[in-house]
Amino acid sequence: AIDSYLKATTDTTQNLDMLEEAWEKATHLAMTYCPDRIPEVVRTVSERLISIQRFAQAAELYESIGQLKAATEIYVRAGDWGKARALAASVSPEFADHVEKQYIGRMQSEGRVDDLLQSGKGGSVEAGLDVLAQQGQWDRLYSTCQQQSHPKEVMYKYQAKHLEQLVASGAFEHALAMLEKYDAPLTDAHTPLYSKLCIQTLGGGSGRSVEMLAALMEKIVSKMRDIGDKRLKEYERLALITDLSQLKEKIKAKSQEHSCKIAISLLRYAGEVPADRVFYEAGMGCKEMEWNNMAFVFLNRYLDISEAIEDGEATSANLDNSDFKSTEIPYDFPLPRDQCLDDDAREEVRDWVLQLSMDGSVVQSLTQTETDFVRENLRLENTQDYWRVLESDYDVPAGPVAPMILKSG
């Protein structure tokens, strides 16, 4: 009788309900009268049920004889993940992990990110976050981490990857905005990237991005002081460079002289700030102040650096340093790969320096007084007095080498 019921196939009828009923009778007979045939009949009937898309019935057959792994695999095949996970958990933790990996793989291959994120299982949720990261859906990733109250370490792991991508692509403004919105932790993955981000921003950032960088560096330095981080001095130095860079621009409207002095102070950090830019800005500041000797020396140095960049030089080691040997301005520093000015702007500088070289009143080197003045500004490490000038009604002292004495107006 069992074999008679099993003779019913899709070749004999297309009535699927009739087929299911016949196969169920074969199974019932085997379980009732022929226990030795149960595995064979269940396997045959289960395969046939699967062939006509009756997955749940096929899985239930295996469940009824205690073959839970086989039943689970059918639920997996059918995409009935609730039953598959529940059944796998009753088998063993190892088998449950195996099924969870299958679930993750299926969801990822089908692009079902929402299912992963809403699964409630830690590994599956992180797999969903992985997909968001791969797709560049960073804002959604961060908001998901916050809404689902994941440990901060989870979000920081993805944030470090995001920051690395942004720094690698030079998208420093986007990176600064992201860190401002989602915090800037001191993890081993984050911290080395902050210094790279700082150098990128100082090399090409606008006033707003440098302000954002200054706020970031202040926050990082404060955190490092609190925990006694070994990298504190490095970041205090970067914070000072950032502070000088933003102050130089902010104070310019009130005092071109002070802006120029700060530009000279930044020569100390040539290489950390793009070297061509710092010499150009110091030279142009001196030009505005009509400090022509210093303007000539700094802009001439700028042109030397510009030519070295054009020649593909990696450092300034091959440049003549005789004009700066007593100034404490660095003489061996890395050169940027790209020029800070376009061809036309560089040609304007070249023409002005050439014109000045024919002016008999220009010494074309730093006098001792100017050397002392440069050295004094290079040693600037506290900008409080400059900020007071910016934020108050104090008079601005005159004279190229006047000490900075603030007096009430």
Side-chain angles (χ1 to χ4, degrees):
I2 294 172
D3 292 330
S4 295
Y5 284 122
L6 291 178
K7 285 180 180 178
T9 68
T10 52
D11 292 331
T12 59
T13 180
Q14 294 299 308
N15 188 326
L16 302 185
D17 291 335
M18 184 182 295
L19 288 173
E20 182 181 343
E21 183 180 353
W23 296 337
E24 283 180 355
K25 287 179 179 178
T27 305
H28 177 71
L29 289 172
M31 289 182 175
T32 305
Y33 301 108
C34 302
D36 58 320
R37 292 195 64 185
I38 291 175
E40 166 218 335
V41 173
V42 166
R43 182 174 62 254
T44 299
V45 171
S46 179
E47 289 174 354
R48 291 183 180 182
L49 287 169
I50 290 171
S51 72
I52 62 171
Q53 305 294 303
R54 302 289 171 96
F55 294 102
Q57 295 86 334
E60 287 167 4
L61 275 181
Y62 276 120
E63 281 190 78
S64 69
I65 62 172
Q67 292 194 25
L68 302 186
K69 283 189 175 182
T72 301
E73 293 297 348
I74 294 173
Y75 285 131
V76 166
R77 184 172 174 180
D80 191 341
W81 294 104
K83 290 181 179 179
R85 286 160 139 181
L87 203 55
S90 69
V91 175
S92 71
E94 294 76 16
F95 188 61
D97 288 343
H98 168 71
V99 170
E100 196 65 24
K101 288 176 182 176
Q102 288 183 295
Y103 170 74
I104 291 170
R106 181 81 62 82
M107 295 301 103
Q108 287 178 327
S109 67
E110 295 176 2
R112 293 166 61 182
V113 180
D114 289 339
D115 291 299
L116 288 169
L117 295 176
Q118 296 166 13
S119 68
K121 299 276 188 177
S124 298
V125 172
E126 286 207 34
L129 296 175
D130 285 340
V131 173
L132 292 180
Q134 290 163 8
Q135 295 176 346
Q137 296 188 54
W138 295 106
D139 285 335
R140 186 181 175 195
L141 187 154
Y142 296 137
S143 63
T144 299
C145 287
Q146 292 173 334
Q147 290 165 7
Q148 296 184 354
S149 301
H150 290 289
K152 285 186 176 181
E153 290 74 18
V154 173
M155 188 170 85
Y156 290 163
K157 179 183 77 170
Y158 292 102
Q159 188 191 38
K161 293 179 181 178
H162 187 196
L163 181 60
E164 184 176 19
Q165 289 181 13
L166 293 172
V167 170
S169 64
F172 56 83
E173 291 178 335
H174 192 169
L176 290 167
M178 181 267 289
L179 293 169
E180 182 180 60
K181 187 173 182 179
Y182 297 111
D183 195 20
L186 296 182
T187 72
D188 290 340
H190 283 77
T191 305
L193 295 170
Y194 294 146
S195 59
K196 295 179 181 178
L197 175 61
C198 181
I199 299 305
Q200 277 187 0
T201 307
L202 292 173
S206 64
R208 173 60 184 148
S209 59
V210 174
E211 282 186 33
M212 292 173 69
L213 176 64
L216 172 66
M217 298 308 295
E218 183 179 358
K219 184 186 298 184
I220 291 171
V221 166
S222 177
K223 289 181 178 181
M224 286 184 167
R225 284 179 182 148
D226 289 344
I227 64 173
D229 195 289
K230 64 183 180 181
R231 296 159 292 195
L232 175 60
K233 285 197 176 299
E234 174 193 352
Y235 277 87
E236 284 179 332
R237 180 181 176 91
L238 291 172
L240 174 59
I241 299 171
T242 305
D243 190 35
L244 289 170
S245 296
Q246 79 162 324
L247 184 57
K248 172 175 65 67
E249 296 305 318
K250 282 180 172 291
I251 208 170
K252 186 179 292 185
K254 186 167 188 178
S255 171
Q256 175 63 40
E257 178 181 342
H258 281 339
S259 179
C260 181
K261 286 180 178 180
I262 296 169
I264 292 170
S265 299
L266 283 165
L267 292 172
R268 176 181 178 182
Y269 308 104
E272 291 166 280
V273 184
D276 58 339
R277 180 181 294 276
V278 289
F279 278 98
Y280 171 75
E281 291 181 348
M284 293 304 289
C286 291
K287 179 176 179 286
E288 289 290 325
M289 292 302 300
E290 298 184 357
W291 300 342
N292 287 338
N293 284 349
M294 289 191 291
F296 178 88
V297 171
F298 295 148
L299 289 175
N300 201 42
R301 182 64 152 184
Y302 159 73
L303 292 173
D304 290 342
I305 292 172
S306 177
E307 289 175 10
I309 293 171
E310 201 165 14
D311 292 340
E313 297 283 348
T315 74
S316 64
N318 293 327
L319 300 182
D320 178 18
N321 195 55
S322 56
D323 287 335
F324 303 100
K325 61 183 178 182
S326 300
T327 63
E328 300 180 10
I329 293 175
Y331 61 87
D332 189 0
F333 42 78
L335 299 180
R337 287 180 297 180
D338 301 315
Q339 304 274 359
C340 72
L341 300 180
D342 60 27
D343 292 344
D344 291 341
R346 291 204 303 276
E347 194 59 38
E348 286 182 20
V349 175
R350 192 173 288 108
D351 289 344
W352 189 82
V353 169
L354 180 60
Q355 178 185 339
L356 211 61
S357 69
M358 296 183 286
D359 185 339
S361 66
V362 177
V363 180
Q364 300 182 18
S365 63
L366 300 179
T367 65
Q368 185 58 54
T369 301
E370 290 167 339
T371 298
D372 292 342
F373 172 73
V374 170
R375 290 173 66 183
E376 177 186 342
N377 282 283
L378 288 173
R379 294 169 182 173
L380 176 63
E381 293 187 354
N382 188 326
T383 61
Q384 290 181 1
D385 286 341
Y386 279 115
W387 282 107
R388 281 201 292 271
V389 170
L390 182 65
E391 296 164 0
S392 73
D393 294 327
Y394 286 122
D395 290 340
V396 177
V401 293
M404 203 178 81
I405 301 172
L406 303 180
K407 56 184 179 182
S408 58

